[in-house]
Amino acid sequence: MKIIKSCVGALTNFEVLDLLRSRGAGKDPTRVIASVSPSEFKVFDYLEQTAACNQTRDAITKLVDECKKYDLAKAEILNIANIRPSSAVEVFTIIEECDARVEDRIDELVETFMQVLPPHPSSQAESMGEIAEDNS
Amino acid sequence: MFLLSEIEHNLRLPPHLLSRPLNEAIKGELDSLFLDKVIENLGLCISVYDIRSIDGGFIAPGDGASSYKVRFRLVMFQPFEGEVISGRLKESNKDGLRLSLGFFDDIYVPVPLLPSPNHSEPDPEQKDGIRWIWEYEGENYPIDGMDEIRFRVHKIRYPPIPLDEARKSDQEDSEQKDPKIFSTMVITVEVLAVGCVLQQGCFVFLYCVQRKVEVLAVGCVLQQGCFVFLYCVQRKVEVLAVGCVLQQGCFVFLYCVQRKVEVLVVGCVLQPEPAGADCFSFSENLCPYSGYDETECESQQ
């Protein structure tokens, strides 16, 4: 076995989920007929619980465009797409040296992320709290 | 978390697969060979992404199987250092915690990387188990089974598979599989946030930034449909919003700025629009500081 290239490119959670869905992972309740192996199903189950489950390709490209203004590293954009931070505290862990780079625009950033990326279905129960946060 | 790697491998296709279409047979062989196995410095193989080229098809003398030189791409699970991921607790012992992602279980949180201050106590539910408890502002938050834990990756190691296991697999397989390509992957992480459900429908999201704990949000459901969201910025707790469901679908959001409570918005659910968006009415008349009365109708996104 020879490794030609160890990293052709990074994949967001959404892209892997899309790949598994295109093989029929989501549509098969018996989990036997689709050409998806049990270990791939475990990955599918995990990804369905994350914020990636209702993202779209357009949302991700839009996010990348929006982040160009803030000069974020590729790894940071990847993290943001995978997690969908909904508050300033969550952004602190993702962006290094947050205070120096984006201190006063942090609320703007969080707003952008919440608008561009769709929320996770289970967190819509907490969206009443988000309305209050947005209005603050 | 995931990346794409390109691999070239000399694949031996057993004779009983010769009747199947070549692509299918090769994909099946690659799946059984690489799926759910760890390749050193590349990560855990999740799936075969595509097959780029198939060369060869020569049959060596004395062997019934044909061998192909296949170039293909694999989807690998390999988080980079500093990545933030969420997972569930699998087990906890005196060395720390072990977390699971469903498809990958070897994520360890050693004791120094647990949110501090903390202490451990013997687990009442499991014999010989240890439960870790995070102390924050006088409250004890146990880290146990139903929590979703958010962590940042600290280090990834690829210790080799223990030698006697490799020797065993050599003897069992008739194919020539090189045991040295596969290894194990161990990820060490630090805990960032723990979500946990307290009693009576309260929940707390705690957050730890560089070992300083901040409460991200505490929500609790009071009686009769009231709820409180508290927010802690740099250890000062502020009430973010207190919502109260009044009768007939009206609700009030109160907001607390520096401990002075102001009514943020009073909303009232009217009948839903045909497009599916709910129509809300907001009046900001109750704020003592702005002193104006305005009613608007907005559709909720």
Side-chain angles (χ1 to χ4, degrees):
Chain A
M1 187 193 80
K2 193 169 81 169
I3 300 174
I4 309 273
K5 201 166 178 197
S6 59
C7 183
V8 176
L11 297 171
T12 56
N13 286 3
F14 161 72
E15 288 170 301
V16 179
L17 193 58
D18 204 32
L19 176 72
L20 292 173
R21 277 184 189 151
S22 71
R23 299 227 190 116
K27 299 177 195 157
D28 183 10
T30 64
R31 299 197 156 190
V32 168
I33 307 166
S35 61
V36 178
S37 71
S39 60
E40 288 168 338
F41 267 117
K42 287 190 191 157
V43 180
F44 179 76
D45 288 334
Y46 172 76
L47 289 174
E48 283 280 322
Q49 290 170 17
T50 64
C53 62
N54 46 9
Q55 284 173 356
T56 60
R57 215 159 270 277
D58 296 329
I60 305 272
T61 34
K62 208 170 161 205
L63 178 73
V64 174
D65 286 332
E66 297 276 332
C67 288
K68 281 196 190 125
K69 296 188 285 198
Y70 300 100
D71 192 30
L72 297 177
K74 226 174 158 202
E76 289 167 352
I77 304 183
L78 191 70
N79 258 338
I80 290 164
N82 287 345
I83 298 175
R84 192 187 178 261
S86 51
S87 67
V89 197
E90 293 180 44
V91 177
F92 285 148
T93 50
I94 297 180
I95 303 185
E96 276 176 52
E97 287 167 37
C98 204
D99 296 332
R101 283 158 69 186
V102 262
E103 38 177 310
D104 43 351
R105 298 185 293 170
I106 249 234
D107 292 319
E108 225 183 280
L109 256 183
V110 179
E111 270 290 321
T112 320
F113 300 150
M114 306 243 289
Q115 276 173 8
V116 174
L117 298 172
H120 193 259
S122 70
S123 73
Q124 269 164 0
E126 298 172 27
S127 63
M128 296 261 265
E130 278 181 34
I131 299 175
E133 272 185 73
D134 285 347
N135 287 335
S136 69
Chain B
M1 209 158 45
F2 299 102
L3 47 82
L4 219 52
S5 296
E6 193 163 342
I7 311 275
E8 185 183 271
H9 185 65
N10 283 326
L11 189 68
R12 186 179 166 274
L13 203 63
H16 67 267
L17 296 175
L18 284 177
S19 54
R20 295 173 69 188
L22 187 61
N23 280 335
E24 263 185 46
I26 292 209
K27 182 159 189 305
E29 272 301 291
L30 288 177
D31 278 349
S32 66
L33 195 58
F34 287 102
L35 232 57
D36 210 27
K37 304 236 172 53
V38 175
I39 301 181
E40 194 170 356
N41 295 326
L42 281 188
L44 173 72
C45 176
I46 300 286
S47 174
V48 174
Y49 187 70
D50 62 5
I51 300 179
R52 306 281 269 171
S53 68
I54 305 175
D55 282 331
F58 303 114
I59 303 182
D63 183 14
S66 45
S67 72
Y68 297 90
K69 195 190 242 184
V70 190
R71 247 194 207 207
F72 53 95
R73 288 190 292 191
L74 293 174
V75 177
M76 308 298 290
F77 166 71
Q78 189 194 62
F80 51 87
E81 283 186 19
E83 183 165 1
V84 179
I85 308 177
S86 44
R88 305 236 157 223
L89 181 70
K90 183 166 173 184
E91 67 180 9
S92 80
N93 54 32
K94 61 175 174 47
D95 296 326
L97 302 174
R98 185 173 171 182
L99 307 172
S100 157
L101 292 182
F103 56 95
F104 185 73
D105 291 339
D106 286 334
I107 301 178
Y108 296 97
V109 189
V111 175
L113 293 177
L114 281 173
S116 63
N118 55 51
H119 66 267
S120 71
E121 65 172 31
D123 197 349
E125 287 156 39
Q126 267 181 7
K127 199 171 71 130
D128 297 338
I130 302 275
R131 195 160 69 148
W132 288 94
I133 303 197
W134 184 11
E135 298 150 19
Y136 175 68
E137 295 214 329
E139 292 286 332
N140 280 347
Y141 300 107
I143 303 180
D144 57 20
M146 49 192 145
D147 302 336
E148 185 192 306
I149 299 184
R150 190 171 282 182
F151 51 87
R152 181 196 282 136
V153 174
H154 199 249
K155 198 168 56 162
I156 308 181
R157 287 184 307 128
Y158 297 93
I161 303 178
L163 250 184
D164 37 0
E165 277 184 26
R167 226 179 285 140
K168 245 189 267 168
S169 72
D170 244 347
Q171 286 165 2
E172 284 168 4
D173 293 343
S174 50
E175 283 180 34
Q176 245 186 9
K177 218 191 284 185
D178 184 3
K180 291 188 213 119
I181 15 170
F182 298 125
S183 70
T184 53
M185 180 158 81
V186 173
I187 303 185
T188 320
V189 303
E190 62 173 306
V191 175
L192 288 179
V194 176
C196 59
V197 180
L198 308 173
Q199 73 280 22
Q200 292 172 351
C202 300
F203 53 88
V204 179
F205 279 98
L206 307 167
Y207 194 75
C208 181
V209 174
Q210 290 169 354
R211 311 294 199 92
K212 279 189 305 206
V213 175
E214 292 184 18
V215 174
L216 188 64
V218 176
C220 63
V221 180
L222 310 172
Q223 73 279 24
Q224 294 171 350
C226 300
F227 53 89
V228 178
F229 279 98
L230 307 169
Y231 188 73
C232 177
V233 173
Q234 290 168 355
R235 307 288 196 109
K236 282 188 302 208
V237 176
E238 294 182 15
V239 174
L240 181 67
V242 175
C244 206
V245 178
L246 309 173
Q247 71 280 25
Q248 293 169 354
C250 298
F251 54 89
V252 177
F253 280 100
L254 307 170
Y255 187 72
C256 176
V257 173
Q258 290 168 353
R259 307 296 193 98
K260 286 184 297 206
V261 177
E262 292 178 19
V263 175
L264 180 67
V265 89
V266 176
C268 212
V269 180
L270 309 174
Q271 69 281 20
E273 295 259 18
D278 286 332
C279 190
F280 285 89
S281 149
F282 294 95
S283 57
E284 287 182 84
N285 57 335
L286 300 177
C287 173
Y289 303 102
S290 58
Y292 70 101
D293 192 336
E294 191 177 18
T295 309
E296 299 173 346
C297 188
E298 290 177 28
S299 46
Q300 185 195 34
Q301 281 175 353

